[in-house]
Amino acid sequence: SDSPNANNNANAGKSVDYLRIGMPNGTQTENHNPFAGTSSANALGYKWMIYEPLTQWNPVKPADPAKPWLAKEVKWAADYKSADITVRDNATWSDGQKLTADDVAYTFTLLKSKPALNANAIPFGDITVNGSVVHVTFTTPQFVNQNKIMASTPIVPKHVWEKIADPTTDINKNPIGSGPYTLKSFTQAGVVLSVRTEGYWQDLPKVKELRYTSYADNSAQTTALANGESEWSFVFIPNYQATFISKDPANHKVWAPGVLGIHALYINTTVKPFDDPKLRQAMNMVVNRADIFNQAEAGYFHPQINSVTGLPDGAGDAFIAPEYKDKKFTVDVAGAKALLQSAGYKLNGTTLTDPSGKPVKIKLSDPAPWSDYQTTLEILKTNFAEIGIQATVEKPNQDVWDASVQKGDFEASMRWTNGGATPYDIYQTIMDGDLLKPLGTAAQQGNFGRFKSPEATAALKAYANATSDDARTTAMNQIQKIFVEQAPALPVGSDNVGGDYSTKNWTGWPSDADPYAGMQPTQPYALDIVLHLKPANS
Amino acid sequence: MAEPVLEIRNLNVDYGLGDRAVHAVRDVNLTLHRGEVLGLAGESGSGKSTLAYGLTRLLAPPGVITGGQVIYHPAQGSSYDVLALSDNGLREWRWAETAIVFQGAMNSLNPVHKISTQLMDVLKAHEPNMSAHSRAARAREMLKLVGISADRMDAYPHQLSGGMRQRVMIGMALILQPQVVIMDEPTTALDVVMQRQILGQLIELRERLGFSVIFITHDLSLLVEFSNRIAIMYGGRIVEEAPANTIYRDALHPYSKGLLSSFPALRGPRRELTGIPGSPPDLAGMPAGCSFHPRCPKAFEPCGSAIPVLGRPDTPDGAGRSVACWLHPAEQPVG
Amino acid sequence: MTIPTSSIEQVIPGQGAMAQPSAKPAKAKRQRFLFVRNTKAATGLVVLGVYVLLAIIGPWIAPYDPSGRSNDLVQGPSAAHWFGTTHLGQDIFSQILVGTRSVMYVGFLAGLIATTLSVLIGVTAGYLGGKTDDSLSALTNVILVIPAIPLMIIITSVLNNASDTLIAVVIGLTSWSWNARVLRAQTLSLRRRDFVEASRASGETTWRIVIFELLPNLTAVIASGLVGTVIYAVLSEITLAFIGITSNDGWNWGTILFWAQGQQALGQHAWWWFVPAGLAIACLGTALSLINFGIDEFVSPRLRSAGKTKLKTAAGHTVRMRIGFTPVLENSAAPHTHARVISTPVMREAK
Amino acid sequence: MKYFLQRIGFYVFTAWAAITLNFFIPRMVPGDPVQSLIAKYKGQLSTDAMQSLYILFGLDQHKSMWAEYVDYWKQIFHGDLGLSFTFFPAPVSQVISQALPWTLLLVGITTIISFLLGTSLGVVAGWRRGSWTDGLLPVTTFFSSVPYFWLGIIAIYLLAGPDSFFPSSGGFDSGLVPAWDQYFIPSAIQHSLLPALTILISSVSGWILSMRNMMVTVASEDYITVAHAKGLSERRVALSYAARNALLPNVSGFALSLGFIVGGTLLVEIVFSYPGLGFTLLQALGARDYPLMQGIFLIITIAVLVANLLADIAYLLLDPRTRKDG
Amino acid sequence: MTSTQDAKAPAGEVVLEAIGLTKHFPVRRRLRDLFSKEHDAVHAVDDVHLTLRRGQVVALVGESGSGKSTVARLLAQLYPRTGGDIQLHGRSTTVKGGRNFRGYAARVQMIFQDPFASLNPVHTIRYHLTRALKIHHNAGDDLDAALAALLTRVSLTPPERYLDKFPHELSGGQRQRVAIARALGADPEALLADEPVSMLDVSIRLGVLNLLRDLKERLNLAILYITHDIASARYFADETLVMYAGRMVEGGDSETVTQTPAHPYTRLLIDSAPDPDRLTGDIDPLEEDRGNGEPPSLIRPPSGCRFHPRCPAAMPRCSTDLPVRLEIGDAPGHWAACWLYDKAGAQ
Ligand SMILES: Nc1ncnc2c1ncn2[C@@H]1O[C@H](COP(=O)(O)OP(=O)(O)OP(=O)(O)O)[C@@H](O)[C@H]1O
Ligand SMILES: Nc1ncnc2c1ncn2[C@@H]1O[C@H](COP(=O)(O)OP(=O)(O)OP(=O)(O)O)[C@@H](O)[C@H]1O
Ligand SMILES: [Mg+2]
Ligand SMILES: [Mg+2]
């Protein structure tokens, strides 16, 4: 039969040689453009099975050196304003052509010339090729962006892409990449990739076929995971023990390592009396992060932040300043009360009044549909009540919320920070004076709380532009000190690169014991994971 | 007198059940003879239509027949009680033996089917062995009989004028050559000119085909002109029955008299019109005794207490007529 | 979404056969009681009454603060929590009780707004006719054509922090068109009735004719439309809340379902989180539908499910009342009333 | 004919007005697609990406509303609906064309079945009043008062599961490619059963009720009595006389509901993750994807109008009275 | 009271006069008409002359669709007229709405055919009558007394028994009396009665007609009595006018018109009326009617005399020339629009 579905059925009796990956991203439209954030290739993550980056970087261990991938070696200049990339010589495109340094250079040139595709806004300078070495320069130091450039830029074939009239609006119908998989079929509900037969530069994966399914929403995805219809996904599962693990305790697993990107309660520091760091510190002291972790984040989703620096356990460990090494958040109501008293606040029964005698009230807001944030706010509300701060929870709709947060028209709100290879992104999002916009003007990039601290701005700049590790460490310690003392935002939990998976058919997944990669199926390291998988019954 | 074709014996019809029932027809006795036109008159709500539908069992819920018999004498074979027929028996009897023409022809014809379909439906149901071709031929023939050209066969009811529709209904009623045709105010919606044309045609057909007609209307002058015998109904009962001329000239029941003196004559001397005082009775709360007595100018003491029986009056020319009035107590009840 | 299922409305589109405000007109006072005597309407009204009562006293009798957290996370129904608890330990019974008010408020406010609009537009179009009719009908049709739920979603997101009132207004503004069409058709048929013409001939002004002559005759249709839109509004509000478009604070049954779905209650086998709200909606909807049936039957008594339809004949058989075959209860020629034959004629001439 | 032309004028006007509204309404919505996208990916998409997205979507250049409106009409006449933001750079027409068949098949077929079933039951219930069919009404009314989505969720809970015959989501097995073959079709049917059942249960009662009421009304018409008087069989009277006439007013209701197919089933599609148009619309709404929203609204509008046109034609065929002059 | 008791008495003062009254209802245009200049219209009423005098009843007789009701509505100013003039006490009046219309309505009132439909089912008799009085400020100081007087005038006594009833609680005859009372509430000079008894039962028709006659005499009203029952015109009206297909065909005093009809159509009408004195079965299909008994299309009415396609006495001239009013001469004021009586043309 010439039906595309024929072999699907033929496999029925045999052992499973495919992996079913799911994402709760709704219906998809055929779009394999690896640069478009809106493409199905990006939403489901299969672009990383077709296109490969130059290096593989493990966000769970951000300080570890990146693993060479399409690049045999990447040499950065000390000032991180240029890099020499030696391209591997045994890689081929799925149409049989060899992958060369020209392809890498072409990819960078493409990003440089098309700001629409340059999602990380990398300031490319000159890009030159010398044999198998690509020399790239940048207009500013790229220390904090190094992995965005090397480990999260998909390299595309020049011979294919230079024929595309407008790469920004092309859906890349027939994707040709260097990865071990090629596109087999696309439907709005799912994508099937099949493994290449030859020409991949390393051993082919054991998984012969990747079947991506896009579920309508979290609930459908969770149901599919619980049923076993889906074997790998990244989705928030409320009460995951009951909903997911208990359905097959031997095989259903969740692993959610934290990364350098956090979720925090942004406080608008222009609103009185919250411009007072003492008040913010006191608030920070009563946040019950364990409750939030367990009730709002189902005990896994946003790993609880313990370090007072706001850096997550594990991924952040390497960056914590010596003075804060063992300083952990604890709920300390008495301490907070004492602190407030010393700062001139008075607690009359259940109401805290500021030095001017006004009761302290705060409005916490987040969009209604974000149930974990909503739950977090509910918990924060009761936490703050313990020191007499009256909090109310508001649920504006998402657009309104987004606009008001950017314009500084809010009192406090749960939001995420950017993430990256270093804590720089976290602190920059919260404290960078360069991003500071007057109230009423949208601050798109960060510093929503209008935190004004020239020292923090300078330290952040110093970190990004430093040319030595020592200089960087000094700057980082300085940043952390300001963050801890000023408490511009109250860190709650970290982002995770987690995933929900099943070991029923495939084993070899990363874990606490062997954290060789993150766990999200849509990130560059997903390919690394697939390459690690082995059939369960072998 | 000719032999009877339909005998109604003590027919009782109620609307509803139990205490709240409306007794719309009570103990009606009436005989239709072969070939005659029996007129049924009476004011609105007196039960004329109920009687007609009751004897064919076509009353819609909540109508129920609470008693009586309707004996039918077919042209050949033995007589039977229509009210005792099975559903299928009744279906066979309907239209083949007794057909009905209703007041509004527009409403009697199904608006979504061609008139040919509706004509042939009857044939299909009653003469299943007939070929489609001969059915069509028959339908065409009937239309011609009532003066409609055959090319209107495929017209829809709304494409015909009121008069044509009524003719179609008459044609349809005669298509199986029934013994009895019941006509419930067949021409009230029509103009006098049209009315006369249609009735004229009907009388002609009756002479040719020999069926009997029960003709219902409250237009007494029309009735007197067209029927052989007239029965007058009041409050669900028949109060007088007599040959048309007799009633016209000498009605015995005060109600009949009143009716006859309430319409003006077009010809002849202008006569005095007296009419009937009062208003029609409420069937739900019928007065005791003779139901007409509250309006009756000649009421006297038995009228309020006892119901007069319908029977041959004690007048000299009482033969062949009957009346239910204490002024003319019955010598011999009918039924 | 569900199209309100009032038969009056269903009947309209095919011009002609419509439940005329009965040729035998509303037996005004006495019939008003008759309406309540209709079992369906009565049942519906009683249930609705309970809901209204809960809407009023719900927040007071709720045993817990509906948002209050406790340590009983996702617990099934128990003596302490009749309908169980949520992932935050909130009492679902209290949420249902407190939520009733919002549902009823939005339902009825939206119903009132939509009904008012439909009366204004439908009756005006129907009565005035001509150009006014053409343009109002066009407007009605355009609104009818635009899908309502997406439109509501868009409009509610334009208005930030949609309060219950705003949501009700939005629902009201987007859901009048069907009733307006029904009312226009009804008005058109009423307009040609003699009593309208007669009051015009006697010199009444146009607005008086519309308000005092036409509207009272449309009450059944309007009431039925109101009830229909209330059902529709309740379902819409709950749907909006379910997909996360909701008022700032406060609870309604849709919010409960929203949280239940967000927390994948059924995946956790927390059926108690889903079931009460769904049943509450269904019962309210059923009650309103019953009232509508009542109205329909009131307007056109034929629609009443035939009361007693099985009869016993004198011979002891059971027959059913049906069209075309009138039941015969007794098949004997014996007379029912006994007319007397007077042996001695009483002769007396009346005065 | 005259009737027909009048109707066509009506359709043209309504289409114009609705399309114009469709153009302006989404533009009233605050927020923009980029913000929505960033929020949607909640931290997965860095704030740096924002500027590149504005450029990508062409939102960095400002045009007057009027110029956009004119462009919009030009596009429509060229059959071009623009590029979707959510699925950038996929054309809207592509997004719609892959979602539409699912909706049409699932909801279309279900609506038709519901209409046929409800109408037949309504005929029986109206014709045989006082029989068991009267008990049907309260039950179906109850079900029709339940929100679709709730019924769907409960159905998934009770009927779908790892070992169940009913899949809980999607339009077909993952791994299959839409094709007219023996693998895909059964799978698609299997996936559609539960959503179809849900729609059926909650929509059928409306048809039963309206048909019943029309039957009751028609049953008291004179021509029904005449049909009985003619001695026709019960079947013939019930179907060819009563039901045939009672059906007429329901035809336009049916047309309207056909029109609502596209827009009205949003929630069923959401609950069952059905890859149809309603679900796509919700995504578009969430993402402030104007071109996609407009495209879908356009389709819905056209669907409603076409359905009404069909109803008009059906009326023309079913009711000779409207056929007045050729 | 100055009214004349006898129909033959000299006519009273002219109240309302219609001169050349014409009404065409436009027909919705079809596609093929878009290109033609002519607009189709129903010629419902053409060139009607009619005079209502105090204390006199004028009957307007004709078959269904002949335009009788249209004439009444035109006279009540419920329709704008296409042509002609309506003169109230010799003054031309055109009122469209507002105060003028009220003023007109106070003098000319209309009674509708169907007493079941012309009273609003949701209002009591009291409401109907109170409105009638109040609109025209005839209530005076004592509303109750005015209401009682009104009901007594139409013989609904005692008034209290009827005041708080709803229309459905009354019989047809009583309802028509209420409708008449409502018209009288305006204290009009002219009453336009559009088939006031055709929907009533035979036995109660007479009562209503007698009431109208009584009112005419007592209140000196001018009454237009529209009917299709020519016999009742004879009985009730002083003057009878016959209409056919939108045009007047014959007129004169009632007795003359009914006993010696001149126009072939009137003759057809009278011959068709049921006559109890005729013998049963003695009905020949009318050879007097050449058509099938149906009136012509009013959109494209026949040229010349509108009756000519059906007329047994039609002459070639009838199909081309519109007949004018011609005196018959057998009685004063008896005329017919028929070429048969054109002495000059016959020669
Ligand atoms: N469905 C019903 N329920 C209750 N009473 C009814 C019903 N139908 C008819 N009636 C009553 O039965 C009585 C007889 O009605 P019927 O229709 O037989 O009168 P009729 O003599 O034919 O009058 P008309 O001349 O107006 O046709 C009336 O008083 C009427 O009110
Ligand atoms: N509003 C209208 N629009 C169009 N045509 C009309 C209108 N009213 C009446 N006609 C037409 O005008 C003609 C005269 O109608 P009218 O009602 O005056 O007749 P009529 O003599 O009163 O008839 P009937 O005896 O049936 O009451 C008819 O052909 C009718 O169809
Ligand atoms: Mg009758
Ligand atoms: Mg008229």
Short mmCIF file of all heavy atoms in Angstrom, two decimals, chain D residues 252-284:
data_model
loop_
_atom_site.label_atom_id
_atom_site.label_comp_id
_atom_site.label_asym_id
_atom_site.label_seq_id
_atom_site.Cartn_x
_atom_site.Cartn_y
_atom_site.Cartn_z
N SER D 252 -35.35 27.12 9.02
CA SER D 252 -34.47 28.28 9.21
C SER D 252 -33.73 28.19 10.53
O SER D 252 -32.59 28.64 10.63
CB SER D 252 -35.25 29.58 9.08
OG SER D 252 -36.36 29.55 9.89
N GLY D 253 -34.36 27.57 11.51
CA GLY D 253 -33.63 27.33 12.76
C GLY D 253 -32.44 26.43 12.50
O GLY D 253 -31.34 26.66 12.99
N PHE D 254 -32.67 25.46 11.65
CA PHE D 254 -31.59 24.53 11.32
C PHE D 254 -30.47 25.26 10.60
O PHE D 254 -29.30 25.07 10.88
CB PHE D 254 -32.15 23.39 10.47
CG PHE D 254 -31.12 22.42 9.99
CD1 PHE D 254 -30.33 21.74 10.90
CD2 PHE D 254 -30.94 22.18 8.64
CE1 PHE D 254 -29.38 20.84 10.47
CE2 PHE D 254 -30.00 21.28 8.20
CZ PHE D 254 -29.21 20.61 9.12
N ALA D 255 -30.86 26.14 9.71
CA ALA D 255 -29.85 26.89 8.96
C ALA D 255 -29.01 27.72 9.91
O ALA D 255 -27.79 27.75 9.81
CB ALA D 255 -30.52 27.78 7.93
N LEU D 256 -29.69 28.38 10.82
CA LEU D 256 -28.94 29.20 11.76
C LEU D 256 -27.97 28.33 12.55
O LEU D 256 -26.83 28.71 12.77
CB LEU D 256 -29.90 29.89 12.72
CG LEU D 256 -30.26 31.31 12.36
CD1 LEU D 256 -31.19 31.88 13.39
CD2 LEU D 256 -29.00 32.16 12.26
N SER D 257 -28.45 27.18 12.96
CA SER D 257 -27.57 26.35 13.78
C SER D 257 -26.42 25.82 12.93
O SER D 257 -25.32 25.63 13.42
CB SER D 257 -28.35 25.21 14.42
OG SER D 257 -28.61 24.24 13.47
N LEU D 258 -26.66 25.61 11.64
CA LEU D 258 -25.55 25.22 10.77
C LEU D 258 -24.51 26.32 10.74
O LEU D 258 -23.32 26.09 10.74
CB LEU D 258 -26.06 24.98 9.34
CG LEU D 258 -26.54 23.59 9.01
CD1 LEU D 258 -26.95 23.53 7.55
CD2 LEU D 258 -25.47 22.57 9.28
N GLY D 259 -25.02 27.54 10.72
CA GLY D 259 -24.10 28.67 10.74
C GLY D 259 -23.31 28.73 12.01
O GLY D 259 -22.14 29.09 12.03
N PHE D 260 -23.96 28.36 13.09
CA PHE D 260 -23.28 28.43 14.39
C PHE D 260 -22.27 27.30 14.57
O PHE D 260 -21.50 27.31 15.52
CB PHE D 260 -24.30 28.38 15.53
CG PHE D 260 -25.10 29.63 15.65
CD1 PHE D 260 -26.44 29.60 15.95
CD2 PHE D 260 -24.49 30.86 15.44
CE1 PHE D 260 -27.17 30.77 16.04
CE2 PHE D 260 -25.21 32.03 15.53
CZ PHE D 260 -26.55 31.98 15.84
N ILE D 261 -22.32 26.33 13.66
CA ILE D 261 -21.40 25.20 13.77
C ILE D 261 -20.00 25.71 14.03
O ILE D 261 -19.32 25.28 14.94
CB ILE D 261 -21.38 24.40 12.46
CG1 ILE D 261 -22.64 23.58 12.35
CG2 ILE D 261 -20.17 23.52 12.39
CD1 ILE D 261 -22.71 22.82 11.08
N VAL D 262 -19.60 26.63 13.19
CA VAL D 262 -18.21 27.02 13.22
C VAL D 262 -17.87 27.73 14.52
O VAL D 262 -16.88 27.43 15.18
CB VAL D 262 -17.90 27.90 12.01
CG1 VAL D 262 -16.44 28.23 11.98
CG2 VAL D 262 -18.31 27.18 10.75
N GLY D 263 -18.71 28.68 14.89
CA GLY D 263 -18.36 29.47 16.06
C GLY D 263 -18.82 28.87 17.36
O GLY D 263 -18.28 29.15 18.41
N GLY D 264 -19.82 28.02 17.25
CA GLY D 264 -20.51 27.65 18.47
C GLY D 264 -19.90 26.50 19.23
O GLY D 264 -20.34 26.16 20.31
N THR D 265 -18.88 25.92 18.68
CA THR D 265 -18.43 24.69 19.30
C THR D 265 -17.06 24.84 19.89
O THR D 265 -16.40 23.87 20.23
CB THR D 265 -18.35 23.59 18.26
OG1 THR D 265 -17.58 24.12 17.21
CG2 THR D 265 -19.71 23.23 17.78
N LEU D 266 -16.67 26.09 20.01
CA LEU D 266 -15.42 26.43 20.65
C LEU D 266 -15.07 25.52 21.81
O LEU D 266 -13.98 24.95 21.88
CB LEU D 266 -15.63 27.83 21.18
CG LEU D 266 -14.48 28.74 21.24
CD1 LEU D 266 -14.61 29.66 20.04
CD2 LEU D 266 -14.55 29.57 22.47
N LEU D 267 -16.04 25.38 22.71
CA LEU D 267 -15.71 24.71 23.96
C LEU D 267 -15.58 23.22 23.82
O LEU D 267 -14.75 22.60 24.47
CB LEU D 267 -16.74 25.08 25.01
CG LEU D 267 -16.42 26.50 25.46
CD1 LEU D 267 -17.62 27.24 25.87
CD2 LEU D 267 -15.38 26.46 26.54
N VAL D 268 -16.40 22.63 22.96
CA VAL D 268 -16.25 21.20 22.74
C VAL D 268 -14.86 20.94 22.21
O VAL D 268 -14.15 20.02 22.63
CB VAL D 268 -17.29 20.70 21.73
CG1 VAL D 268 -17.18 19.21 21.58
CG2 VAL D 268 -18.67 21.07 22.18
N GLU D 269 -14.46 21.79 21.28
CA GLU D 269 -13.14 21.58 20.69
C GLU D 269 -12.04 21.79 21.72
O GLU D 269 -11.02 21.11 21.70
CB GLU D 269 -12.96 22.52 19.51
CG GLU D 269 -13.93 22.18 18.41
CD GLU D 269 -13.67 22.92 17.11
OE1 GLU D 269 -12.78 23.78 17.08
OE2 GLU D 269 -14.36 22.64 16.15
N ILE D 270 -12.27 22.75 22.61
CA ILE D 270 -11.25 22.99 23.63
C ILE D 270 -11.14 21.78 24.55
O ILE D 270 -10.07 21.25 24.81
CB ILE D 270 -11.60 24.24 24.46
CG1 ILE D 270 -11.48 25.47 23.58
CG2 ILE D 270 -10.67 24.36 25.66
CD1 ILE D 270 -12.03 26.71 24.21
N VAL D 271 -12.30 21.33 25.01
CA VAL D 271 -12.30 20.25 25.98
C VAL D 271 -11.73 18.97 25.37
O VAL D 271 -10.99 18.24 26.01
CB VAL D 271 -13.72 20.03 26.52
CG1 VAL D 271 -13.82 18.74 27.27
CG2 VAL D 271 -14.11 21.19 27.40
N PHE D 272 -12.08 18.72 24.13
CA PHE D 272 -11.60 17.48 23.52
C PHE D 272 -10.33 17.69 22.71
O PHE D 272 -9.93 16.80 21.97
CB PHE D 272 -12.69 16.89 22.63
CG PHE D 272 -13.82 16.29 23.41
CD1 PHE D 272 -14.96 17.00 23.65
CD2 PHE D 272 -13.72 15.00 23.91
CE1 PHE D 272 -16.00 16.46 24.38
CE2 PHE D 272 -14.75 14.45 24.63
CZ PHE D 272 -15.89 15.19 24.88
N SER D 273 -9.71 18.83 22.84
CA SER D 273 -8.51 19.14 22.06
C SER D 273 -8.73 18.80 20.61
O SER D 273 -7.88 18.21 19.97
CB SER D 273 -7.31 18.35 22.54
OG SER D 273 -7.18 18.47 23.90
N TYR D 274 -9.87 19.13 20.11
CA TYR D 274 -10.20 18.77 18.74
C TYR D 274 -9.62 19.82 17.81
O TYR D 274 -9.80 21.01 18.04
CB TYR D 274 -11.72 18.68 18.58
CG TYR D 274 -12.12 17.70 17.53
CD1 TYR D 274 -12.05 16.35 17.78
CD2 TYR D 274 -12.55 18.15 16.29
CE1 TYR D 274 -12.40 15.45 16.81
CE2 TYR D 274 -12.90 17.25 15.31
CZ TYR D 274 -12.83 15.89 15.57
OH TYR D 274 -13.17 14.99 14.61
N PRO D 275 -8.93 19.40 16.77
CA PRO D 275 -8.15 20.37 16.00
C PRO D 275 -9.00 21.23 15.08
O PRO D 275 -8.66 21.44 13.93
CB PRO D 275 -7.21 19.47 15.19
CG PRO D 275 -7.95 18.20 15.04
CD PRO D 275 -8.76 18.02 16.29
N GLY D 276 -10.10 21.75 15.55
CA GLY D 276 -11.01 22.46 14.67
C GLY D 276 -10.86 23.97 14.74
O GLY D 276 -9.97 24.51 15.37
N LEU D 277 -11.83 24.62 14.10
CA LEU D 277 -11.75 26.05 13.94
C LEU D 277 -12.03 26.82 15.22
O LEU D 277 -11.44 27.86 15.50
CB LEU D 277 -12.76 26.47 12.87
CG LEU D 277 -12.44 27.73 12.12
CD1 LEU D 277 -11.10 27.59 11.44
CD2 LEU D 277 -13.52 28.00 11.10
N GLY D 278 -12.94 26.29 16.02
CA GLY D 278 -13.29 26.97 17.26
C GLY D 278 -12.08 27.08 18.16
O GLY D 278 -11.79 28.14 18.74
N PHE D 279 -11.35 26.02 18.23
CA PHE D 279 -10.18 26.01 19.07
C PHE D 279 -9.12 26.97 18.52
O PHE D 279 -8.48 27.72 19.26
CB PHE D 279 -9.63 24.58 19.13
CG PHE D 279 -8.44 24.45 20.00
CD1 PHE D 279 -8.52 24.83 21.33
CD2 PHE D 279 -7.24 24.00 19.51
CE1 PHE D 279 -7.42 24.74 22.14
CE2 PHE D 279 -6.14 23.90 20.32
CZ PHE D 279 -6.21 24.28 21.64
N THR D 280 -8.98 26.95 17.21
CA THR D 280 -8.04 27.88 16.58
C THR D 280 -8.43 29.31 16.89
O THR D 280 -7.59 30.17 17.16
CB THR D 280 -8.04 27.66 15.05
OG1 THR D 280 -7.90 26.28 14.80
CG2 THR D 280 -6.93 28.42 14.40
N LEU D 281 -9.74 29.58 16.86
CA LEU D 281 -10.21 30.93 17.16
C LEU D 281 -9.81 31.33 18.57
O LEU D 281 -9.38 32.46 18.81
CB LEU D 281 -11.73 30.99 16.98
CG LEU D 281 -12.37 32.33 17.34
CD1 LEU D 281 -11.79 33.44 16.49
CD2 LEU D 281 -13.88 32.28 17.15
N LEU D 282 -9.96 30.42 19.49
CA LEU D 282 -9.60 30.74 20.87
C LEU D 282 -8.12 31.08 20.95
O LEU D 282 -7.71 32.02 21.62
CB LEU D 282 -9.94 29.59 21.80
CG LEU D 282 -9.74 29.96 23.26
CD1 LEU D 282 -10.89 30.83 23.75
CD2 LEU D 282 -9.60 28.75 24.14
N GLN D 283 -7.32 30.30 20.25
CA GLN D 283 -5.89 30.59 20.24
C GLN D 283 -5.64 31.97 19.66
O GLN D 283 -4.83 32.74 20.18
CB GLN D 283 -5.15 29.55 19.40
CG GLN D 283 -4.98 28.23 20.10
CD GLN D 283 -4.24 27.24 19.24
OE1 GLN D 283 -4.69 26.88 18.17
NE2 GLN D 283 -3.08 26.81 19.69
N ALA D 284 -6.33 32.26 18.58
CA ALA D 284 -6.14 33.55 17.93
C ALA D 284 -6.54 34.68 18.87
O ALA D 284 -5.87 35.70 18.96
CB ALA D 284 -6.96 33.62 16.66
#
